[in-house]
Amino acid sequence: MLTLNEVLSIQVKCFHEIITIGYRVYHSYDLPWFRSLSWYFLLCVNYFFYGETVADYFGTFVQRREQLQFLIRYHRFISFALYLAGFCMFVLSLVKKHYRLQFYMFAWTHVTLLITVTQSHLVIQNLFEGMIWFLVPISSVICNDIAAYIFGFFFGRTPLIKLSPKKTWEGFIGGGISTVVFGFIFSYFLAQYQYFVCPVEYKSETNRFVTECEPLELFQMKKYSVPLLLQAVLGWETVNMYPFQMHSIALSTFASLIGPFGGFFASGFKRAFKIKDFADTIPGHGGIMDRFDCQYLMATFVHVYITSFIRGPNPSKLLKQLLVLQPEQQLNVYKTLKSHLVEKGILQPSLRG
């Protein structure tokens, strides 16, 4: 839970830094409610996303609390009602001659929510898949940032992009290669431990989170044949490695090729508003958003990657959903499943009835 709290803290701080930039423009017109409504919408969106998380991962716990059952059952309706209240407050706050600016700031708030809250929710989803899906991507971005700076400092000659004059092709390429190598080695280290590879699950019996499981094939050592072209160079015919290390190459490649564009986007944003940093939270390094401009983009990619190429049917989550059903519904599911297993020949027909 500590990591979840840290993600929430970073999200709130990033939101505050971006909203404050808009507030400096908005405040000069002395228009009402902008800051209050911005924080209200942040509360509403977090209520929605965290409620969805509770429903997905704490189903058995919720079933034991009647007051929570009501909140979860009508969660989306309550979330929408809260948002509508904010929407109506915004409409009532409209001031003649400043309509365009107010709608501009309304859009500003929603884009900020999209950048910070939505993507931080994806970070939490990645965490529940296993710490390795959080640590490898975030470390790859950090490694790429450091390696690109070192290669650019010593070998940089060719400018990369006008938005960031100090970025060079030499730093970009050197950082990319270093990041892929780092991700491959770091993944090998993490894949050896259950704590990092097992999905985070909540055990209602002990009222705590656990990371204990039989590791998936993705995290079990396998033997691979080395391509003929590389056998002459390496002198190996086979190599033992974790399948996840192959996926780490994809994650590291994204971190080094596409991840920096999150930083370029942030640079363009700051240039548009003629500011050096989002804030001065970290002396000499700007604000929290200056450090996480690439991380949010990376988190979105990891979530899409997991849902597209990794995640399969989850028996544990399915069981939690079945436990939420009414007894009659559970019995119908049982009968249907039993009939299906008999037809497949898994159960003997004599067991029917």
Side-chain angles (χ1 to χ4, degrees), residues 12-36:
V12 171
K13 186 56 183 173
C14 290
F15 180 83
H16 171 259
E17 291 177 357
I18 299 176
I19 284 296
T20 299
I21 296 173
Y23 182 70
R24 292 170 187 166
V25 177
Y26 190 88
H27 184 63
S28 61
Y29 289 87
D30 195 28
L31 298 176
W33 295 8
F34 165 62
R35 211 165 199 176
S36 299

Side-chain angles (χ1 to χ4, degrees), residues 56 60 201 203 313-323:
D56 284 342
T60 53
E201 293 188 353
K203 294 294 184 182
N314 189 327
S316 177
K317 185 175 291 187
L318 178 60
L319 180 59
K320 291 177 182 178
Q321 293 173 338
L322 287 174
L323 293 175

